[in-house]
Amino acid sequence: MSDSYLSSFRCSFRAGLLFVAWLIVSPIVASQSSTIASLISSKSPWAIYSPTYFSGNTLYEVRGNGRDATCSSVSYGSGSGNGASASIPFIYGGTTSTVLWPSGSIPSSFTICSITRYAGSSKNRILTSYANNWLHGHWFGNKAAAFYNGWKTATSNTATTTNWLTMCGKNNGTTPNNVYGDGAGVGTATGGDGGGTYRLSINLFSTEISDWAFAYLIIWDQILTDAEVQVASSALIQYLSTGTLTTMQPTSQPTSQPTNPTSQP
């Protein structure tokens, strides 16, 4: 065989392999997107938050249900990096930057999924309860940590703590899939508190404060099945790769797009 013939054959073969890979992967990506949309449609979350709907001192609930979070000294940014291959919007702040979600944001029966990360040298809690000893995602330089008035995970994961963490946790179910950290079941104990005075906040509990960034949050006031939590976790991971998360569309625009966005910290 001539060299030109072999070269042509190799190119055709590689092109064929790429086409077969596309045929396999493309429906999977589309399926994940439609599955999270179906989940949110069938089990409506208590609230959904995206920095796309941050303006002034308010992080608006994306569907306009009025369950908005109040922010202080918080900035808006967008970009890739820190484990995200796509450019995604985020809000961020230092140790004096705070966010307070409304009453009910840690329901008595909850499934909470989030994307957060450390964004500086102060690495303590990020998502925590305002008035109770409860945390979700980060603690003292560790990621994928959950303390729902009792430890639900190990506290020894210090791998690349400034990368985005996708985290889903619920206060019922069985280990290890009651808590998902970056797509893996990490739960070591079940149960956990919520309801009453429990409400989400950033940098408003005790002195355990952080330099932080926030990219997404979905709160359900019900316990999702393990399979449903896996769907939500996979969708958040996919979001970091594609910048697209198909959720329920808002019935009305809660606010205008943020103005004068700053660069990534």
Side-chain angles (χ1 to χ4, degrees):
M1 287 185 189
S2 67
D3 289 343
S4 62
Y5 178 84
L6 286 174
S7 178
S8 177
F9 174 78
R10 291 189 187 106
C11 288
S12 298
F13 182 71
R14 288 170 185 162
L17 286 178
L18 289 172
F19 179 69
V20 170
W22 178 85
L23 287 175
I24 294 172
V25 172
S26 182
I28 293 174
V29 172
S31 175
Q32 287 178 336
S33 178
S34 62
T35 300
I36 184 63
S38 176
L39 171 60
I40 287 176
S41 178
S42 63
K43 293 191 174 180
S44 180
W46 185 87
I48 304 172
Y49 301 92
S50 165
T52 301
Y53 298 102
F54 169 73
S55 183
N57 293 320
T58 303
L59 177 63
Y60 291 89
E61 202 282 336
V62 305
R63 298 163 300 174
N65 67 12
R67 293 168 179 163
D68 308 322
T70 303
C71 306
S72 176
S73 301
V74 171
S75 299
Y76 173 91
S78 63
S80 59
N82 300 104
S85 53
S87 179
I88 60 172
F90 54 85
I91 55 174
Y92 67 95
T95 56
T96 60
S97 304
T98 64
V99 183
L100 179 61
W101 277 268
S103 297
S105 50
I106 304 177
S108 56
S109 294
F110 66 79
T111 304
I112 296 175
C113 292
S114 60
I115 306 178
T116 53
R117 71 176 184 88
Y118 287 131
S121 59
S122 294
K123 300 178 178 180
N124 295 298
R125 302 179 185 219
I126 299 181
L127 289 176
T128 186
S129 176
Y130 172 65
N132 307 87
N133 196 6
W134 187 105
L135 64 90
H136 173 92
H138 294 85
W139 180 76
F140 274 97
N142 296 281
K143 60 190 296 189
F147 186 95
Y148 303 150
N149 201 18
W151 284 113
K152 307 307 172 187
T153 64
T155 58
S156 58
N157 184 349
T158 58
T160 320
T161 56
T162 54
N163 272 6
W164 291 109
L165 166 70
T166 63
M167 181 85 170
C168 289
K170 57 182 178 177
N171 61 341
N172 205 333
T174 57
T175 61
N177 295 331
N178 58 318
V179 183
Y180 265 81
D182 284 335
V186 294
T188 58
T190 60
D193 289 348
T197 59
Y198 284 82
R199 61 192 294 190
L200 280 176
S201 68
I202 296 177
N203 284 349
L204 286 170
F205 178 84
S206 184
T207 58
E208 297 180 11
I209 52 181
S210 299
D211 300 311
W212 57 272
F214 166 98
Y216 221 93
L217 175 66
I218 308 175
I219 302 169
W220 281 272
D221 56 353
Q222 58 185 301
I223 305 298
L224 300 188
T225 68
D226 288 355
E228 289 166 341
V229 172
Q230 188 172 17
V231 165
S233 173
S234 297
L236 295 184
I237 292 171
Q238 180 187 330
Y239 176 67
L240 295 178
S241 298
T242 65
T244 301
L245 183 59
T246 304
T247 58
M248 185 179 295
Q249 295 300 311
T251 55
S252 60
Q253 187 81 351
T255 184
S256 59
Q257 294 294 323
T259 57
N260 300 320
T262 57
S263 60
Q264 181 163 341

